[in-house]
Amino acid sequence: MTITRLDDVEESLRATDPATRAAAVTALTAAVRSGDAPRGAGDTLAWALADEDGDVRGRAAHALRRLPELYIGEDGIGALRLAAARGRDRLVRDTAAELLALLARGAGELYAQGLQDDEPQVRTQAVLGLVALGALPEVAEAADDPSREVRVAVAEGLARLAGPAALTALEHLLADHDPVVRMAALDAAADLGVPGPLEGRVVTATAHASWQVRRRAVRALGRARAEAAVRPLVRALGDRVVDVRRAAVQALEQWAADRPEVVTALTESLTDPDPGVRTQVRWALA
């Protein structure tokens, strides 16, 4: 098999015949060694680690191990992370884990240097790269960056990373002086389901001077535990800004069937001066 286009290889890797898929991996490996491989070859080999056939997976794993200089992009990194966590056999899991560690050391050093750059755009790109590598400590350290754009990127990235350090950094960003950063952190907290360590900060944000922050906090509480969310959401029904009140009604609707205090609060909101709020309340109580 001669490699001319990456699309041809990927088409062969979708063939039902395992021998065809194995031959495609072998041909792609040979093309990489000869320097004739198309761009994206590393990502394709990384995804081949998920093949149903053990021979195909083995060939891909051996190729990746023997070609450590092979470029692997963000798509390939995603494939490696999946293989490391859920690989069908130990060879696949070990290969993916080793490559991720190697990439993290090499690229992580470059991205970490990028965090020291004078340009916020460069530092933002460095944060995105570190998030892709799962380099949580480095991402968390950037939560104190002087640039709003960088801190927003950190908040968004922390929603994709797990661990106590992520929650600590996110808790810090939830108290950021910049409302835009706070809103990004509130969205991240919502994506994570508002874990216990973040509940207090999110509740506090419902009293922020910016109505946009308050609305974001109310929406986030809709993803939190009822025990933490109901009381501040009921208070938000009396917010002076209609968009905040509407968000509070939407967040409380999920508890209208089994929490009497929610029913009582929503019933009282049937007299809200805004017709849109009143309509939402009627829907919530229906």
Side-chain angles (χ1 to χ4, degrees), residues 46-70:
W47 279 110
L49 293 174
D51 196 275
E52 294 180 356
D53 184 75
D55 182 42
V56 177
R57 296 196 304 272
R59 293 186 188 211
H62 287 302
L64 289 166
R65 281 174 177 259
R66 293 169 185 170
L67 300 166
E69 72 283 358
L70 184 63

Side-chain angles (χ1 to χ4, degrees), residues 21 32 83 91 120 138 161 190:
R21 302 199 302 273
V32 171
L91 175 62
E138 291 80 2
L161 302 173

Side-chain angles (χ1 to χ4, degrees), residues 107-109 111-112 115 125-136 138-139 161:
E109 290 176 2
Y111 288 137
L115 289 177
Q125 290 302 312
V127 168
L128 297 178
L130 290 166
V131 170
L133 290 174
L136 174 55
E138 291 80 2
V139 174
L161 302 173

Side-chain angles (χ1 to χ4, degrees), residues 80-117:
L80 291 176
R81 294 177 72 176
L82 185 64
R86 306 178 187 175
R88 294 172 181 265
D89 55 61
R90 184 168 182 175
L91 175 62
V92 165
R93 294 191 297 273
D94 289 349
T95 298
E98 290 170 11
L99 283 171
L100 285 171
L102 184 64
L103 287 168
R105 284 196 299 271
E109 290 176 2
L110 291 175
Y111 288 137
Q113 292 173 10
L115 289 177
Q116 308 306 316
D117 195 275

Side-chain angles (χ1 to χ4, degrees), residues 6-7 13 17 25 91 96 110 182 186-187 205 220 233 235-236:
L6 191 60
D7 287 347
L13 286 171
D17 178 23
V25 170
L91 175 62
L110 291 175
R182 280 206 185 193
L186 286 165
D187 288 345
L233 286 175
R235 286 198 301 269

